[in-house]
Amino acid sequence: MTRIVVLPGDGIGPEVTLQGRRALVCAADRHGLALDFEEALIGGASIDAHGTPLTDEVVALCRDSQAILLGAVGGPRWDDLAVDVRPEKGLLRIRRELELFANLRPATVFPALVAASSLRPEIVEGIDMLVVRELTGGLYFGEPRGIDRNGPHRVARNTMLYADYEIERITRVAFESAMRRRRQVCHMHKANVLEVSQLWMEVVGEVAKDFPDVALDHQLVDSGAMFLVKDPRRFDVIVTGNMFGDILSDEAAMVTGSLGMLPSASLGEGGVGLYEPVHGSAPDIAGRDVANPLAAILSAAMLLEHSLDAPAAAQDIRDAVAAVLDAGHRSADLVLPGERRPVVGCTALGDLVVAELEARA
Ligand code: IPM
Ligand code: MG
């Protein structure tokens, strides 16, 4: 039996992971994979139940599993808490404890959704990029950190810190991914200001020597952000640190039409992988069955591919999602202003994907 841990989290997390799990079970079943699920708390839900955003028991449960399907964490109820006890800390801790340093965020555009982008169709058609974000280092984790309130002025500090081996291993993931794609890597940095970025330039350049077939380009992150909206199709693989990757991956996601469509995988050296939609907990629409479950469903596809070695089952899910969109079904986030189209709820969209999966075996 393959053990999958589901961490639904907060906001729309529970509703979308439920649909992700249904699609996962259906696709796995059709390919002869038996899955065994354990559900546990993370984020605000865990704070409410246990006073901490992630318990040691849940970390142990995740360590013992093959893969984790996660929803989202956070919401206004916990916004007043200090940084180190907020829901987000649970997510950061699980990434760090399992050393999930490689965050893969593919941004592709489904043909049926080209019009949903805020950019013109001719700019959007055919976008197919992969943001490879370093996930366990940099500004998010560097010490010292904190707010000092003792002097005449309140002073806050965070530390951006990377060791060469951390840069090297994420860069290798980026180049290996590029070898399976269009063989281009764009490293985004701020080396005109930051020493950390200068070290990235050095190490990325060294790793590139092992991949003579891959074209490498270094791009300042500010102009890179600009090119992402000007000409997103020029990008194949983007590799960058934790903070820049957080920002650029939302941007990359949005140019494809909706943040509600983008899945992600967080991987370490072998071992367990964590899969989650890139969108957040969207507390404003939680519990109303209107959220878009497709990013969670596509995260289940990434889980099948990267953790269960079942690329055909993963492809079934992607094909099923494309077929549902081609048939004209849209969740609220995908309906254009002024467009007259019935809106499909979260459960109903999950039903459609499952029906599509069942029809194709
Ligand atoms: C993401 C999110 C998280 C991050 C938050 C919720 C801590 O924005 O996965 O992109 O910043 O990494
Ligand atoms: Mg983010």
Side-chain angles (χ1 to χ4, degrees):
M1 267 293 195
T2 303
R3 160 78 54 92
I4 311 289
V5 174
V6 181
L7 302 176
D10 309 319
I12 60 170
E15 30 193 310
V16 297
T17 42
L18 179 61
Q19 303 312 320
R21 175 174 167 170
R22 286 177 69 210
L24 178 58
V25 169
C26 186
D29 195 44
R30 255 131 230 289
H31 289 265
L33 288 167
L35 306 180
D36 164 40
F37 289 89
E38 248 341 299
E39 209 166 290
L41 300 177
I42 192 169
S46 176
I47 294 176
D48 291 350
H50 304 295
T52 166
L54 188 69
T55 61
D56 294 344
E57 290 72 30
V58 175
V59 174
L61 185 69
C62 290
R63 252 188 232 293
D64 268 348
S65 73
Q66 205 107 10
I68 304 156
L69 187 63
L70 191 141
V73 296
R77 274 182 48 211
W78 306 281
D79 268 354
D80 294 335
L81 298 176
V83 167
D84 58 333
V85 290
R86 286 173 64 98
E88 289 80 357
K89 201 68 180 184
L91 182 56
L92 298 178
R93 180 168 172 218
I94 194 76
R95 289 171 176 172
R96 179 84 161 187
E97 293 250 6
L98 302 179
E99 262 204 275
L100 305 172
F101 66 88
N103 187 211
L104 310 185
R105 300 189 156 185
T108 50
V109 64
F110 283 85
L113 295 183
V114 166
S117 173
S118 43
L119 302 180
R120 290 198 306 277
E122 64 269 28
I123 305 217
V124 175
E125 244 154 38
I127 291 176
D128 180 7
M129 63 185 136
L130 175 67
V131 179
V132 177
R133 167 190 179 196
E134 201 290 326
L135 203 57
T136 51
L139 262 182
Y140 275 53
F141 295 98
E143 301 278 351
R145 64 184 297 159
I147 307 182
D148 181 353
R149 300 177 188 278
N150 297 324
H153 292 284
R154 288 163 294 172
V155 175
R157 120 178 61 185
N158 289 95
T159 301
M160 191 177 203
L161 188 141
Y162 270 112
D164 54 3
Y165 74 91
E166 295 176 285
I167 305 169
E168 181 182 340
R169 64 187 183 180
I170 189 70
T171 305
R172 287 199 183 278
V173 171
F175 276 83
E176 279 153 14
S177 307
M179 287 298 286
R180 295 188 291 271
R181 299 171 45 98
R182 302 196 306 281
R183 302 193 171 186
Q184 294 168 36
V185 170
C186 176
H187 163 227
M188 293 219 195
H189 64 88
K190 191 71 187 170
N192 53 352
V193 178
L194 303 176
E195 287 81 356
V196 168
S197 287
Q198 288 171 356
L199 183 62
W200 271 76
M201 296 277 280
E202 244 175 82
V203 176
V204 171
E206 288 158 16
V207 171
K209 295 201 183 99
D210 293 341
F211 297 87
D213 296 335
V214 177
L216 168 65
D217 163 43
H218 299 277
Q219 177 85 59
L220 283 164
V221 64
D222 49 354
S223 63
M226 182 270 292
F227 279 119
L228 265 175
V229 285
K230 181 167 187 255
D231 183 17
R233 280 178 307 191
R234 72 156 67 189
F235 295 103
D236 179 19
V237 175
I238 294 172
V239 66
T240 190
N242 204 345
M243 180 86 243
F244 297 157
D246 179 45
I247 300 165
L248 294 171
S249 58
D250 269 25
E251 189 190 4
M254 200 60 212
V255 299
T256 69
S258 170
L259 203 49
M261 292 299 299
L262 272 285
S264 79
S266 304
L267 310 171
E269 319 266 15
V272 49
L274 182 148
Y275 302 85
E276 56 176 318
V278 171
H279 63 66
S281 57
D284 51 322
I285 58 164
R288 290 173 27 210
D289 197 30
V290 297
N292 180 353
L294 295 178
I297 290 173
L298 292 166
S299 296
M302 290 190 89
L303 186 158
L304 283 162
E305 182 166 349
H306 294 278
S307 281
L308 305 187
D309 197 21
Q315 194 54 44
D316 281 356
I317 292 189
R318 289 188 203 105
D319 291 346
V321 168
V324 167
L325 293 170
D326 285 343
H329 305 293
R330 299 285 187 273
S331 48
D333 57 312
L334 301 176
V335 175
L336 303 176
E339 194 179 32
R340 293 163 59 101
R341 201 193 267 275
V343 169
V344 184
C346 183
T347 312
L349 209 47
D351 289 344
L352 287 163
V353 173
V354 167
E356 206 35 73
L357 281 167
E358 280 170 350
R360 58 190 45 235

